[in-house]
Amino acid sequence: NQEYVLASRPKGTPTAENFRLVESELPKLKDGQFLVRTLYVSVDPYMRGRMNDAKSYVPPFQLDEPIAGGAVGQVLESHNASFQVGDIVSGTFHWALYSVSDGRGVHKVNPALGPMTTSLGVLGMPGLTAYFGLLDIGNPKAGETVVVSGAAGAVGMTVGQIAKIYGCRVVGIAGSDEKLRILTEEMGFDAGVNYKTAPSLYKAIREACPDGVDVYFDNVGGDVTDAVLANLNDNARIPLCGQISLYNLDKMDVGPRNLSYVLIHRALIKGFIVSDYARQFSEAFPKLGEWVKSGQLKYRETVVEGFENIPNAFLGLFRGENIGKQLAKVADA
Ligand code: NDP
């Protein structure tokens, strides 16, 4: 077998040298276990946090130990009655050609819902994150203005489209004009702001949101969030989902700097982790599935080819190379 291990902990932005490809022996299957061949690997921003030796909501990766994350694979051999040879399964697996699993946290992919890759994106963890963060914390009402940062990513593009389904005016903030074009022309966003080129982010957001901001779904933090907070309406809600602009800082930034806007506007900021909603996942899947089927919820995937390119796919997240869900394709079923 071949698998990636954590070679070193990143200082600042991670690099390919933080990962090492190693040969490993596959253990003999025990009762209850099955062997999975990796087909697609999901790379996710939260994995950056696991590269640090710091306490968080998931334990850190260990040096010289395998990297693990969301993946889809096919069962090659099984000593587990719930998983048959040939089944396509989705769950947490090593960044490896093959993984052994006992079935915990693994589910069979239902091909009726969509292509297998959607179990890692719009019909998987990112889709659920968008759904619960927006609807439970953002509580969007028809006619309100919803702003989402990281808008062209897996979570962000789903947030914006669900907000449209709820009748909101939706503004996306992202890092390229091409991304904004896709959001506005193909996904129904009302306006977009390019945070890399806008001369004044505050003004660009104010122009895109003439009635102010009622819900701000925050995926990025930093300067983008500062500029949105300055545009809040009274009683605004802020689902705090991610802070990717801060993940590669060696030293935590000081701040938040402009919380007085939260005070003045009686806004609510609430952080959440998608797994908080695990008991409600089963109610979200049919809705997400229906919206995808009806075309109200579109999705994009950026697929890098090859096992050797998994680290590059991950590093690309921090350069904004992905539109929608970033995946690496390892093998065909
Ligand atoms: P994305 O698909 O959005 O990929 C990351 C994107 O972030 C890039 O494409 C890039 O787009 C943007 N980005 C990268 N660096 C910066 C920066 N310095 N400033 C602003 N934007 C940047 O990833 P996901 O959809 O998987 O995740 C989005 C966010 O949600 C992340 O912060 C992630 O940690 C968080 N998350 C939280 C969960 C939870 O349970 N709370 C669950 C899942 C995700 P661009 O070109 O626009 O810069």
Side-chain angles (χ1 to χ4, degrees):
N1 194 21
Q2 289 186 3
E3 61 185 346
Y4 286 94
V5 298
L6 183 67
S8 55
R9 300 202 184 275
K11 296 197 171 52
T13 304
T15 66
E17 285 69 48
N18 298 133
F19 303 98
R20 187 171 62 243
L21 188 58
V22 299
E23 303 276 335
S24 62
E25 283 289 310
L26 273 171
K28 224 174 127 38
L29 291 187
K30 294 193 195 116
D31 218 27
Q33 291 185 327
F34 53 95
L35 178 67
V36 175
R37 183 161 77 122
T38 308
L39 303 178
Y40 288 92
V41 166
S42 169
V43 292
D44 293 88
Y46 79 87
M47 300 174 84
R48 173 64 183 87
R50 299 193 68 184
M51 297 176 81
N52 295 338
D53 191 14
K55 207 170 159 237
S56 183
Y57 60 94
V58 270
F61 294 128
Q62 296 301 317
L63 283 177
D64 302 317
E65 293 294 324
I67 306 286
V72 164
Q74 187 163 33
V75 178
L76 286 189
E77 196 188 328
S78 179
H79 295 187
N80 182 318
S82 309
F83 295 92
Q84 270 74 53
V85 172
D87 282 351
I88 302 291
V89 292
S90 194
T92 302
F93 299 108
H94 291 172
W95 281 9
L97 290 176
Y98 302 93
S99 293
V100 171
S101 169
D102 60 7
R104 257 180 296 176
V106 177
H107 67 270
K108 284 193 217 182
V109 174
N110 178 358
L113 291 178
M116 62 175 95
T117 50
T118 56
S119 71
L120 300 171
V122 65
L123 301 178
M125 189 273 279
L128 294 165
T129 302
Y131 182 92
F132 288 106
L134 177 68
L135 297 183
D136 188 52
I137 301 169
N139 195 16
K141 311 263 188 337
E144 287 189 329
T145 298
V146 174
V147 172
V148 54
S149 56
V155 173
M157 62 172 53
T158 310
V159 167
Q161 293 179 88
I162 297 177
K164 283 309 297 178
I165 293 170
Y166 275 71
C168 300
R169 175 179 170 79
V170 175
V171 176
I173 305 176
S176 81
D177 290 345
E178 172 60 5
K179 290 184 177 187
L180 297 176
R181 187 195 65 72
I182 290 166
L183 296 178
T184 51
E185 290 180 13
E186 296 176 19
M187 297 190 171
F189 282 54
D190 296 284
V193 171
N194 182 334
Y195 74 90
K196 289 186 179 164
T197 57
S200 155
L201 254 179
Y202 164 73
K203 280 191 193 149
I205 294 165
R206 193 180 58 188
E207 273 162 33
C209 307
D211 298 328
V213 177
D214 300 298
V215 177
Y216 171 47
F217 193 104
D218 188 11
N219 282 317
V220 308
D223 294 341
V224 170
T225 294
D226 290 349
V228 180
L229 293 186
N231 282 284
L232 292 181
N233 283 337
D234 286 355
N235 302 308
R237 286 85 64 199
I238 304 173
L240 195 68
C241 175
Q243 299 278 283
I244 194 169
S245 76
L246 311 180
Y247 293 172
N248 292 327
L249 297 181
D250 272 335
K251 229 175 103 215
M252 189 58 103
D253 218 359
V254 181
R257 289 157 286 200
N258 54 358
L259 278 188
S260 45
Y261 292 113
V262 173
L263 167 70
I264 295 163
H265 296 292
R266 289 85 157 170
L268 170 80
I269 303 182
K270 184 166 183 341
F272 72 100
I273 306 295
V274 59
S275 53
D276 301 343
Y277 295 96
R279 274 195 268 157
Q280 291 158 265
F281 284 175
S282 57
E283 73 188 53
F285 281 124
K287 291 212 177 110
L288 290 166
E290 245 170 63
W291 290 331
V292 170
K293 270 228 159 78
S294 69
Q296 285 171 287
L297 177 54
K298 300 193 174 70
Y299 63 92
R300 282 264 190 151
E301 294 168 343
T302 301
V303 184
V304 163
E305 291 282 333
F307 183 67
E308 66 282 8
N309 281 319
I310 298 175
N312 287 334
F314 173 71
L315 301 174
L317 292 171
F318 302 98
R319 297 190 289 259
E321 286 171 5
N322 61 305
I323 300 181
K325 178 66 206 145
Q326 178 69 60
L327 300 165
K329 181 174 177 183
V330 175
D332 282 310

